[in-house]
Amino acid sequence: MERLRLEGRDAVGQRDIRQELLDVYAEIYRSRSSEDFHSVERFDERIGWNTEVPGFAAIVAYVDDTSVGCAYGCTLQPTTRWWNGLRTPVPDGSSTETGTRTFALSELMVIEKVRGTGG
């Protein structure tokens, strides 16, 4: 097996790796693809929404030039609802976002055949 290679992109550059993101998602959620939320089409929509948020970043992992995993997310904006519903009290200001303070990981996916192999 070749060494693991990672390719990262911002919102504009994600177009270059969009199909790889979709391919990894399709393989991981194959058994649930008939469920509306887990369809590739809905996932593609979610990626689109995320790329509109400032601070979007995505990474695709390749082994032997085949995409085997991916991750993406964006920075939390001042209007985020990300922290709503916390069950444990937190200090004042600790959930106040600035648009650059916190990077929220939306998806982290690795196909089954390479999980735990060390890439």
Side-chain angles (χ1 to χ4, degrees):
M1 185 182 314
E2 286 185 25
R3 291 183 45 185
L4 177 69
R5 177 173 53 92
L6 301 175
E7 287 192 18
R9 300 288 191 280
D10 61 10
V12 173
Q14 64 80 30
R15 293 180 195 115
D16 299 338
I17 61 171
R18 183 84 164 241
Q19 190 58 53
E20 284 86 353
L21 293 170
L22 297 174
D23 291 346
V24 168
Y25 184 88
E27 181 161 342
I28 290 171
Y29 288 98
R30 181 176 315 165
S31 67
R32 297 166 71 180
S33 64
S34 63
E35 299 171 23
D36 187 44
F37 181 80
H38 290 99
S39 72
V40 173
E41 293 79 18
R42 288 286 306 276
F43 178 67
D44 194 27
E45 288 175 13
R46 291 192 299 275
I47 294 172
W49 300 329
N50 277 271
T51 60
E52 295 173 9
V53 177
F56 175 88
I59 293 181
V60 175
Y62 297 91
V63 173
D64 299 330
D65 291 323
T66 300
S67 53
V68 296
C70 62
Y72 76 85
C74 55
T75 54
L76 295 180
Q77 300 304 297
T79 58
T80 187
R81 297 183 318 225
W82 186 273
W83 303 114
N84 291 2
L86 288 176
R87 295 178 183 201
T88 305
V90 295
D92 287 343
S94 62
S95 62
T96 302
E97 294 301 336
T98 64
T100 58
R101 186 186 84 115
T102 305
F103 182 84
L105 187 61
S106 296
E107 292 282 351
L108 173 61
M109 302 177 284
V110 177
I111 64 172
E112 189 170 359
K113 74 178 184 179
V114 297
R115 289 181 200 156
T117 64

